[in-house]
Amino acid sequence: MISIIVAIAENGAIGKNNDLLWHISGDLRMFKRITRGHTVIMGKKTYESLPRRPLRERRNIVITDLPGETIEGCEMAYSIQDAVNLCDPAEENFIIGGASVYRQFLPLADRLYITRVHKSFEADVFFPPIDPGIWELTAQEPGEVDPKLAFHYTYEVYDRRK
Ligand SMILES: NC(=O)c1ccc[n+]([C@@H]2O[C@H](COP(=O)([O-])OP(=O)(O)OC[C@H]3O[C@@H](n4cnc5c(N)ncnc54)[C@H](OP(=O)(O)O)[C@@H]3O)[C@@H](O)[C@H]2O)c1
């Protein structure tokens, strides 16, 4: 099973200057809770943007075009197919970004964990629109109230329609 996990602003924005657009502690805790113990798959730029890397307590797979590139503590994939082949078929495998990797995996994914950030942001990378004909909203829950944030957010789960 392949799942995408991503936080998306109202205008589809997900990042700028190879960084996130917000710091949402509740969402980071939720990300950890959902992905802990599982395989996480990411593009090289997202890997480089992580403050602490590789992500602990998870199997890290990094996708790169550079042949022979290796990163300590990570498995490398040199194409999307390579990454798919490394997925554990008996497990949930998480695509954790960034924009280019989300775009390539969206047609292959079974489930989406979306954190909807109820605000628009200036950005240089975006998530594609989620087609309700393909994706069914199966769970929804408000994010934790955080007085440090100038916006609210909502956790959503979508499953691919049969
Ligand atoms: N809001 C969120 O939830 C969220 C989550 C994660 C990331 N982000 C944001 O997304 C942005 C990064 O996204 P991005 O699109 O610029 O970069 P990215 O997808 O993280 O990484 C792109 C890199 O991955 C490798 N790659 C991608 N597709 C490949 C393929 N088919 N075959 C081989 N290698 C492949 C290439 O690495 P090489 O250059 O090494 O060849 C490419 O340069 C950042 O702003 C980050 O903060 C947001």
Side-chain angles (χ1 to χ4, degrees):
M1 175 166 182
I2 295 178
S3 298
I4 283 177
I5 184 161
V6 58
I8 312 178
E10 251 166 30
N11 59 335
I14 65 166
K16 191 177 176 188
N17 299 329
N18 207 32
D19 205 352
L20 296 176
L21 298 160
W22 40 67
H23 180 89
I24 310 175
S25 307
D27 188 46
L28 292 174
R29 282 194 297 277
M30 177 66 94
F31 174 83
K32 197 166 181 187
R33 191 174 69 69
I34 292 175
T35 60
R36 180 184 280 140
H38 294 285
T39 298
V40 290
I41 298 167
M42 71 204 94
K44 170 84 161 302
K45 288 192 185 166
T46 291
Y47 178 78
E48 287 170 342
S49 78
L50 296 175
R52 261 171 270 137
R53 50 192 193 249
L55 291 179
R56 285 180 302 149
E57 301 170 72
R58 280 149 284 192
R59 175 182 174 225
N60 286 236
I61 296 176
V62 178
I63 309 180
T64 177
D65 254 328
L66 296 173
E69 167 107 341
T70 58
I71 301 172
E72 203 182 328
C74 298
E75 291 170 59
M76 307 305 291
Y78 301 99
S79 66
I80 297 298
Q81 190 54 51
D82 238 13
V84 170
N85 294 344
L86 287 169
C87 284
D88 182 343
E91 266 272 8
E92 195 168 5
N93 301 268
F94 289 92
I95 309 305
I96 65 162
S100 76
V101 169
Y102 287 140
R103 257 196 320 276
Q104 297 174 84
F105 268 101
L106 190 55
L108 308 175
D110 305 292
R111 179 174 286 168
L112 312 175
Y113 294 87
I114 310 267
T115 301
R116 293 279 185 196
V117 174
H118 301 303
K119 189 176 178 232
S120 288
F121 286 79
E122 203 191 301
D124 55 23
V125 282
F126 296 83
F127 196 90
I130 292 161
D131 180 348
I134 296 176
W135 295 102
E136 182 184 7
L137 180 64
T138 52
Q140 196 171 28
E141 176 189 327
E144 299 83 346
V145 174
D146 183 342
K148 291 202 284 294
L149 297 177
F151 51 82
H152 294 281
Y153 59 102
T154 305
Y155 299 116
E156 296 178 345
V157 180
Y158 292 82
D159 286 297
R160 183 178 287 280
R161 291 184 190 278
K162 302 279 177 251

